Amino acid sequence: ATSTNLEFLTHAPDYAPAPRGGACKRRVDVAEAGVSGERVESMIRRLRGLLASRRCVDAVVILAGTNDLAQAPPRYILEHLAQMNATVARACPNATVVSVTLPELLRGRMPRAAATIAAVNDVLRTRPHVVDLYNMTCRECLGRAERDALWDRDGIHLTEA
């Protein structure tokens, strides 16, 4: 898994109507466009290009800021996330932006990062569409086997699990 990730989701035209009272079954195409190690500033430029090269999308899932934790304050990360949201809104006005909270880092790695993660995540959790990756991957919330399966030994990166 990459630490900075953009995913574009578009609904394909072929879908099966929902049975009475059931869920609609649609085929969903997902195009993953993450770049490992990318920082929020370059991600905005790349996002503009990606959106310009595609038809409008239904949703954009954004996980950004983990590579900025060592050098950037929360305000910097949040300003760039706001610019990404505005970029999506201009390119595809009906698209839903799904924000993903930053995951925790192993204690002792970049000690100041914990406060930045908390500040950024507090804001992201107020958005209408959010996936709380922090709480889903919290080391203290997981059993040892789950923790070992999800987290790389470096204590910073998630595995592909």
Side-chain angles (χ1 to χ4, degrees):
T2 58
S3 56
T4 301
N5 195 15
L6 297 173
E7 287 186 13
F8 295 87
L9 288 80
T10 58
H11 290 288
D14 52 320
Y15 65 92
R20 188 170 183 87
C24 183
K25 295 179 183 178
R26 290 187 179 199
R27 188 179 127 192
V28 177
D29 293 326
V30 177
E32 190 275 337
V35 173
S36 183
E38 188 173 36
R39 299 195 53 206
V40 291
E41 191 172 313
S42 65
M43 197 172 175
I44 293 169
R45 288 189 300 270
R46 202 165 58 80
L47 175 61
R48 286 184 189 122
L50 287 166
L51 290 170
S53 69
R54 299 171 179 270
R55 62 184 170 87
C56 269
V57 297
D58 294 321
V60 178
V61 179
I62 300 176
L63 167 56
T66 54
N67 293 314
D68 299 276
L69 291 171
Q71 297 95 3
R75 182 185 74 252
Y76 177 88
I77 295 170
L78 290 166
E79 286 171 0
H80 285 79
L81 287 168
Q83 289 178 37
M84 285 182 230
N85 287 354
T87 297
V88 173
R90 278 191 303 275
C92 298
N94 296 321
T96 298
V97 175
V98 179
S99 300
V100 180
T101 62
L102 301 175
E104 71 172 328
L105 297 178
L106 190 61
R107 287 172 183 34
R109 304 285 267 198
M110 293 190 281
R112 292 177 294 172
T116 300
I117 290 169
V120 169
N121 287 348
D122 284 348
V123 172
L124 293 178
R125 287 182 183 116
T126 67
R127 298 207 170 148
H129 306 286
V130 64
V131 173
D132 199 332
L133 182 63
Y134 185 94
N135 284 329
M136 293 168 58
T137 59
C138 169
R139 286 176 180 82
E140 292 177 6
C141 307
L142 301 170
R144 183 175 177 88
E146 289 175 305
R147 190 171 49 246
D148 291 346
L150 277 176
W151 285 98
D152 191 277
R153 291 181 185 191
D154 68 6
I156 296 174
H157 297 96
L158 294 170
T159 66
E160 292 184 16

